[in-house]
Amino acid sequence: MKKAATIRDVAGRAGVSVSVVSRVLNDTGPVSAPKRAAVLEAVEQLGYRPKAAARQLGQDRPDTIGLLLADLTNPFFARLADRVVAEARSRELQVVLMTTQEDPHLEQQALNTLLDRSVGGVIGTPTGHNVEHWDKLANLEMPVVFVDRAIDGLDQVDVVSIENVESAATATGHLLDRGHRRIGLVPGPLDTTTGSERVRGYERALAERGVDLDERLVRPVPFRGETGADVMAQMLALDEPPTAVVVANTAQVRAVLRMLTQARVSVPDELSVVVFDDNPWTELIRPPLTAVRQPIDMLALHSVDLVHARMRQKLPPAPRRVRVPAEFLERSSTATRR
Amino acid sequence: MKKAATIRDVAGRAGVSVSVVSRVLNDTGPVSAPKRAAVLEAVEQLGYRPKAAARQLGQDRPDTIGLLLADLTNPFFARLADRVVAEARSRELQVVLMTTQEDPHLEQQALNTLLDRSVGGVIGTPTGHNVEHWDKLANLEMPVVFVDRAIDGLDQVDVVSIENVESAATATGHLLDRGHRRIGLVPGPLDTTTGSERVRGYERALAERGVDLDERLVRPVPFRGETGADVMAQMLALDEPPTAVVVANTAQVRAVLRMLTQARVSVPDELSVVVFDDNPWTELIRPPLTAVRQPIDMLALHSVDLVHARMRQKLPPAPRRVRVPAEFLERSSTATRR
DNA sequence: TTGTAGGCGTTATCAG
DNA sequence: CTGATAACGCCTACAA
C-alpha cells in the first residue's frame, strides 16, 4: 500500500485501455459486458478511486461549494452549516468551510482563497464590507448566494433570507398589543440587511399603532463582542427606561441575557423580552424565551438549491430573492405591561 | 470576465515564459528584477490566481484537510469546527467539512469521498463503526487524527482528547464528597473511548471510596436521538433512585435536562447534576450547571498541528496520543445530599 | 465497441 | 538567469 493506483493501473490489470475504464466508471459510452466486469473487478482489487484534482483539471465544473459563515460559535450559523452540508451531500457536492469571525479582513482572505480553490459557487453571510471582492467573484461567472443577510450595492447575487421586516413588525406588534409603549430594539449593523430591515419592521409596527419613535431606544450593535450588554444597560439607565425589548441581533442575544441576569432584572415582570434566535437551549432558560424562529432548513435548502442550479446554469441570469417566513413563538418572557 | 486567466496568459502579457512566472510566484529560483516586476504587474492586471487543482496534480499534497464531525447541532462540535477552521487558516490550510450525523452509513460515504485524495489529511470524530474504512484511509498514507473520541482496533492513528478517566473520576468524586452514594451515569456508547473511559473513571471514583457499583445506574446511550431522557426517567423510577447524576454524553445533556424539567425534578434539591459539556448557554440555565469543560481550543490546536505535521512528514511514524486536561466547574446544580 | 492521442494548468528539470 | 518540455491523472474527441 504505497502509492495509489491510477486509471492506467486499472486498465492494465483489466487488460483494456484507459478509455474503457473511464467509460464504465462514468457510464459514458458503450462497453461490452465482459470488459465491464473485468474493469469493475480490477477497480475493486486495486481499491482504485479517481483523483479529484485530476478530474477537475478537465472540463467539468468543480463539485465543491464554498460556505463562508460568520461564526460557528453562534448556534444559528452552526445549525445552518449542518443543514447546508446535508443538502450539499444529497446533491453530491462538497463543502469547503470558512469563517469570517465578522472580520472584513478575514473575509477578504477567504474570498481570495475561494477563488483559487476554484469552487463552483459560494454561499455566504457577508460582513458588509467587501463589496468589490464579492463583486469580483460574481463577475467571474461564479454563482454567489447570500444567506440570512445581504449587503447593499450587490444586486447581482441571489439572496435567501427570512422576512425580516415582517418578523420584526410581528415581534414589536406583539409587545405593543400587550400595552408596552417604550420598546427597545437591539438590531445588527445597519449596513446589513438583517439590521436595516428589522429596524424598518419595528418602525412600521410603531407607526401603525401611532406610537412615537424614540431614537434612544434603537441601538444597533456589531455582531461581534459583547456590546449588546452595554447598550442594554444604557437603555435601562434612561429616565424613562423601556418596559420591553426586542433583541434582533442573533449574535448578541446571549450578551443581553447575561447582562439582564447580572443586573437582576426580572423577566418578564420588569422587562419583556423577545429574541431573534431559537436554539434548543432557548427553552431551557428561565423563563423560556419568546422568540422569532428562523426556518434554518429552508434557508439551507434554498441556498444550496440556488448555487447548485446556477452551477449547472439551469437558471435565468436574473438574481433571485427568496424570502421564507419566520415563525413567532410566544413563550414566557413577554407579559402585559403592568 | 468570462474565463479565468492561466499562467500562460500572464507569461504572454509579461513577455516572458511560464517558468519565469512560476518562479516569481513561488519564489523558487532566480529572476531578474525587471522581469519580476513585469510578471507581478501582469498578474495584477489579469487578476490571475493559480488554480489549486492543477497545482495538486503535481507532487504536492493538497493544502486541504477534511473535517468529519458528528453533528454541528451540538455546540461542542460547532465550537470545535470554529476553532479548527481558525487554526487551519493560520497554517494556510483549507477545511472541507462533512458530518456523519452519527450514522455509520453516512460516515462510510464520507470516507469514500475522502479516499479520492482531495484532502491531505483528516480530522474526525468516528462513529465507532467503520474500522476497515478508516483503516483504508490510514493505509493510503493519509494522515488521520481522531479528536474527542477514538475507536478500538485502530492503533495507527493519532488521537487528541481530554483526560476522560480523570474527568469522570473528578466529577463522580465531587458528588461522593457531598454525601451522594447512588450516582447515575449516562455515558455515550461503550465502543467509543469517550464512553468506556468515562465509565472507567466513574468506577474508579466509586472504588476509591468503597462504594458499591450498581449496574442499573450506568446507562450508556447513543449520541443520537433522545434516549437520554428515557434512561433518566428509568433511573428515577428505581426503588432506590439516584440522588445525583453525571451526564457524560455531551449530545444527551439537553435531552436529560428537558426530561428533568418536564418531570419537575428540582435541581439540585432532589437531584444533583453534573454535565460533560460547557457551552455559553450552560450558565444561563437555572440553575447554572456544574460542568466538565472541555478545552476546545486545545483540542483544535493539537489536532490541526498533528495533521499538518504529518502532511509535511515532519513526525516519526509512531501514532501520538495527546490528552489535555479538562476543567471542572462547580456551579449550582450540585448540592450536599440531604 | 475499442484504443490512441491530445489537452487541462502547474511545477520541476535541464539544457541554453 | 531563462525557456522549452516532460510529467501529474483523468477525460474525451477521433480514428480504427
Side-chain angles (χ1 to χ4, degrees):
Chain A
M1 289 260 185
K2 288 296 129 63
K3 41 182 49 182
T6 81
I7 195 174
R8 255 177 277 275
D9 299 328
V10 176
R13 193 92 153 67
V16 300
S17 74
V18 292
S19 23
V20 174
V21 178
S22 177
R23 265 181 258 137
V24 342
L25 259 39
N26 304 304
D27 192 33
T28 164
V31 174
S32 71
K35 298 219 172 193
R36 146 168 282 120
V39 168
L40 257 22
E41 190 184 326
V43 166
E44 182 66 25
Q45 295 185 347
L46 271 46
Y48 167 74
R49 307 227 85 217
K51 191 167 260 181
R55 181 180 282 171
Q56 281 198 16
L57 206 41
Q59 251 82 69
D60 308 4
R61 314 203 160 290
D63 53 351
T64 303
I65 62 179
L67 179 61
L68 182 50
L69 294 179
D71 168 20
L72 253 16
T73 276
N74 182 330
F76 170 69
F77 293 124
R79 296 173 68 84
L80 184 60
D82 195 66
R83 295 336 298 159
V84 166
V85 168
E87 290 292 345
R89 161 153 45 201
S90 76
R91 291 169 180 73
E92 302 193 297
L93 292 172
Q94 303 263 75
V95 175
V96 175
L97 175 67
M98 317 197 70
T99 56
T100 65
Q101 312 295 349
E102 303 290 5
D103 177 343
H105 187 61
L106 288 184
E107 178 180 42
Q108 183 178 334
Q109 282 184 4
L111 289 177
N112 277 333
T113 43
L114 250 24
L115 240 31
D116 351 334
R117 271 292 302 187
S118 43
V119 294
V122 179
I123 297 176
T125 56
T127 64
H129 284 90
N130 286 302
V131 191
E132 352 51 84
H133 290 267
W134 283 107
D135 210 38
K136 200 194 293 179
L137 267 201
N139 282 341
L140 225 46
E141 76 181 0
M142 166 110 66
V144 174
V145 176
F146 285 159
V147 62
D148 178 53
R149 16 170 138 144
I151 51 182
D152 297 328
L154 227 31
D155 302 322
Q156 42 195 328
V157 314
D158 298 322
V159 178
V160 178
S161 70
I162 64 164
E163 297 191 344
N164 284 305
V165 180
E166 274 308 319
S167 306
T170 303
T172 311
H174 169 84
L175 294 167
L176 288 166
D177 290 348
R178 273 153 192 72
H180 295 279
R181 285 302 171 267
R182 292 189 62 72
I183 302 174
L185 178 69
V186 183
L190 298 186
D191 52 4
T192 61
T193 48
T194 44
S196 61
E197 291 179 357
R198 290 174 192 177
V199 170
R200 216 181 313 147
Y202 168 87
E203 292 175 344
R204 197 183 79 190
L206 290 187
E208 282 173 4
R209 266 79 164 189
V211 175
D212 284 342
L213 177 68
D214 184 341
E215 302 280 356
R216 293 169 301 177
L217 294 184
V218 179
R219 304 297 304 269
V221 288
F223 296 117
R224 302 191 73 182
E226 307 279 296
T227 2
D230 304 338
V231 298
M232 190 68 242
Q234 289 165 15
M235 282 197 274
L236 292 176
L238 289 175
D239 288 341
E240 280 186 283
T243 60
V245 63
V246 177
V247 187
N249 183 329
T250 304
Q252 293 294 327
V253 168
R254 258 187 19 241
V256 170
L257 290 180
R258 184 135 30 77
M259 185 266 137
L260 293 177
T261 303
Q262 286 172 356
R264 303 189 175 286
V265 174
S266 127
V267 175
D269 296 337
E270 297 175 51
L271 187 74
S272 284
V273 177
V274 180
V275 301
F276 268 67
D277 186 26
D278 186 56
N279 66 70
W281 298 91
T282 311
E283 59 174 330
L284 290 176
I285 290 176
R286 287 300 115 188
L289 300 174
T290 296
V292 174
R293 163 185 289 166
Q294 319 216 30
I296 295 180
D297 28 13
M298 286 296 106
L299 295 178
L301 173 68
H302 289 298
S303 306
V304 177
D305 248 6
L306 278 174
V307 258
H308 190 221
R310 291 230 183 267
M311 281 164 60
R312 314 177 55 184
Q313 313 191 312
K314 275 301 175 194
L315 237 41
R320 299 266 175 117
R321 309 255 140 164
V322 179
R323 320 209 64 121
V324 298
E327 194 180 349
F328 184 79
L329 295 174
E330 178 172 0
R331 289 200 270 247
S332 315
S333 64
T334 48
T336 301
R337 179 182 164 210
R338 293 177 308 178
Chain B
M1 31 195 117
K2 290 297 131 62
K3 39 182 52 180
T6 82
I7 196 175
R8 255 178 278 275
D9 299 328
V10 176
R13 192 91 153 67
V16 300
S17 74
V18 292
S19 329
V20 174
V21 179
S22 178
R23 265 180 257 138
V24 173
L25 262 38
N26 304 304
D27 190 33
T28 164
V31 174
S32 69
K35 297 217 174 196
R36 149 168 279 120
V39 168
L40 257 22
E41 189 184 327
V43 166
E44 182 66 25
Q45 295 184 348
L46 269 48
Y48 166 75
R49 314 234 41 167
K51 194 161 264 181
R55 187 180 276 169
Q56 279 191 28
L57 206 41
Q59 251 86 76
D60 306 358
R61 278 190 172 290
D63 53 351
T64 301
I65 62 180
L67 179 60
L68 182 49
L69 294 180
D71 168 19
L72 254 15
T73 276
N74 181 331
F76 170 69
F77 293 124
R79 295 173 68 84
L80 184 59
D82 195 67
R83 294 335 299 158
V84 166
V85 167
E87 290 293 345
R89 161 155 42 203
S90 76
R91 291 168 180 73
E92 301 194 297
L93 293 171
Q94 250 70 253
V95 175
V96 331
L97 174 68
M98 317 192 71
T99 57
T100 66
Q101 312 295 348
E102 302 290 5
D103 176 344
H105 186 60
L106 288 184
E107 179 181 41
Q108 183 178 334
Q109 282 185 4
L111 289 177
N112 277 333
T113 315
L114 255 20
L115 238 27
D116 68 14
R117 293 175 289 335
S118 51
V119 300
V122 180
I123 297 176
T125 57
T127 64
H129 285 89
N130 286 301
V131 190
E132 353 48 87
H133 290 266
W134 281 106
D135 211 38
K136 204 190 294 177
L137 260 201
N139 282 342
L140 219 49
E141 74 182 1
M142 165 106 70
V144 174
V145 176
F146 285 160
V147 64
D148 177 54
R149 16 171 139 144
I151 51 183
D152 297 328
L154 226 31
D155 302 321
Q156 42 195 330
V157 314
D158 298 322
V159 178
V160 179
S161 70
I162 64 165
E163 297 189 345
N164 285 304
V165 180
E166 275 306 321
S167 306
T170 303
T172 310
H174 169 84
L175 294 168
L176 288 166
D177 290 347
R178 272 152 194 73
H180 296 279
R181 284 300 169 268
R182 294 189 61 72
I183 302 175
L185 178 69
V186 183
L190 297 186
D191 52 3
T192 61
T193 49
T194 44
S196 61
E197 292 180 356
R198 290 174 192 177
V199 170
R200 217 180 311 146
Y202 167 88
E203 291 174 345
R204 198 183 78 190
L206 290 186
E208 281 174 3
R209 266 82 165 189
V211 175
D212 285 341
L213 177 68
D214 182 342
E215 302 280 356
R216 293 169 301 177
L217 293 183
V218 178
R219 303 298 303 272
V221 288
F223 297 117
R224 301 190 74 184
E226 309 279 295
T227 2
D230 304 338
V231 299
M232 189 68 242
Q234 288 164 16
M235 282 198 273
L236 292 176
L238 289 175
D239 288 341
E240 280 186 283
T243 61
V245 64
V246 178
V247 187
N249 182 329
T250 305
Q252 293 293 328
V253 169
R254 257 187 18 240
V256 171
L257 290 179
R258 184 135 28 79
M259 185 266 139
L260 292 176
T261 304
Q262 284 171 358
R264 304 190 173 284
V265 174
S266 126
V267 175
D269 295 337
E270 298 174 50
L271 188 74
S272 283
V273 176
V274 180
V275 301
F276 268 68
D277 186 26
D278 186 56
N279 65 70
W281 298 91
T282 310
E283 59 175 330
L284 291 176
I285 289 176
R286 301 261 64 104
L289 300 174
T290 296
V292 174
R293 164 184 289 166
Q294 320 215 29
I296 295 180
D297 27 15
M298 287 297 105
L299 295 178
L301 173 68
H302 289 297
S303 307
V304 176
D305 248 6
L306 278 174
V307 257
H308 189 220
R310 293 231 182 265
M311 280 166 58
R312 313 177 54 183
Q313 314 189 314
K314 275 300 177 193
L315 236 42
R320 299 267 175 114
R321 308 256 141 164
V322 180
R323 320 210 63 121
V324 298
E327 194 181 348
F328 185 79
L329 295 174
E330 179 173 358
R331 288 201 270 246
S332 316
S333 64
T334 48
T336 302
R337 178 180 165 214
R338 292 178 307 177

